[in-house]
Amino acid sequence: MFKLPPLPFDAAALEPLMSKTTLETHHGKHHAAYIRKTNAALAERADAPSTLEEAVRLAAREHDKKLFNNAAQAWNHAFFWQSLTAQKSEPTGALKAALEETFGSIGALREKAKARGEGHFASGWLWLVADAKGAVQLTDLHDADTPIVDPKVTPLICCDLWEHAYYLDYKNERGAFLDAFWTKLANWRFAAAQYEAARDGGAGAWRFPA
Ligand code: FE
């Protein structure tokens, strides 16, 4: 049985960029429902994995859409909370160098990430990922899809593109939400730790709490 992990900050800590109401609904209702439905789907199986990462990969292998959608959303949201911070941060060190090599500058990365998120049709997630060589890339995935099913990459940070992530605060202005995320809310300290793990082949990367 997986439990809803608590937010790693107070629900009001990101105001006004992300409101307490948004976070209480997003975490307390949406995320909680994905966890509940994942547990219900796993309760039907004798071979239920002990980690959420394994549950996501098992569902992907077996094309079990119901389990995949709920388990991946349970995982993605927990990772998204880690991707947010009230203590504004900037990319540093080796991660900063890799981002500058790929995108030209951190400003250019932010513009590219905003454009990619705005251009994404309907629901999904925007991810920054890195491979074991340290190469970084932006990728947008649909619905519940998640990079943890790809053994070649480690996610560094993600932004939820589902309307429930921003509609109460930004209405239909996804671009304004993406600006806030990439310039103020993105947790680059977390991304830097993930980047170190990526270059170690994913060992030590963040895991959903067991
Ligand atoms: Fe969401």
Side-chain angles (χ1 to χ4, degrees):
M1 287 281 280
F2 297 106
K3 293 193 195 75
L4 177 68
L7 286 173
F9 40 76
D10 187 88
L14 307 183
E15 290 200 332
L17 301 168
M18 190 177 284
S19 66
K20 184 169 186 252
T21 309
T22 287
L23 275 163
E24 283 178 347
T25 309
H26 198 175
H27 174 257
K29 305 288 182 192
H30 291 274
H31 194 190
Y34 292 128
I35 303 260
R36 195 169 59 244
K37 289 175 187 176
T38 298
N39 286 332
L42 288 172
E44 296 167 9
R45 309 183 59 119
D47 62 343
S50 58
T51 70
L52 190 57
E53 289 80 8
E54 267 314 303
V56 171
R57 293 179 185 124
L58 172 75
R61 278 198 304 278
E62 295 187 353
H63 306 286
D64 181 340
K65 208 65 189 152
K66 187 172 78 169
L67 176 59
F68 181 83
N69 284 339
N70 287 297
Q73 284 293 78
W75 197 92
N76 292 347
H77 280 91
F79 192 87
F80 179 50
W81 312 135
Q82 301 297 323
S83 299
L84 296 164
T85 181
Q87 281 83 45
K88 191 176 176 314
S89 60
E90 291 288 338
T92 52
L95 174 57
K96 180 172 186 247
L99 292 169
E100 286 173 345
E101 187 181 327
T102 300
F103 299 100
S105 68
I106 302 306
L109 156 70
R110 289 187 165 118
E111 280 172 33
K112 191 114 184 200
K114 180 185 178 187
R116 183 67 83 93
E118 274 192 300
H120 180 94
F121 183 74
S123 298
W125 297 83
L126 181 59
W127 302 86
L128 187 63
V129 302
D131 65 20
K133 290 185 179 142
V136 291
Q137 70 175 97
L138 277 171
T139 181
D140 56 309
L141 299 175
H142 281 277
D143 300 328
D145 210 359
T146 177
I148 65 166
V149 295
D150 180 354
K152 295 186 296 302
V153 298
T154 298
L156 308 183
I157 201 165
C158 76
C159 182
D160 191 339
L161 301 176
W162 288 60
E163 280 187 346
H164 64 227
Y166 61 87
Y167 208 86
L168 293 175
D169 299 323
Y170 299 88
K171 298 294 188 284
N172 58 320
E173 301 291 336
R174 185 188 280 178
F177 165 61
L178 286 159
D179 270 337
F181 179 84
W182 290 103
T183 61
K184 299 194 178 102
L185 294 171
N187 187 350
W188 290 109
R189 284 176 292 272
F190 176 69
Q194 287 292 105
Y195 187 66
E196 287 309 305
R199 294 199 298 172
D200 204 13
W206 181 86
R207 301 270 185 271
F208 187 90

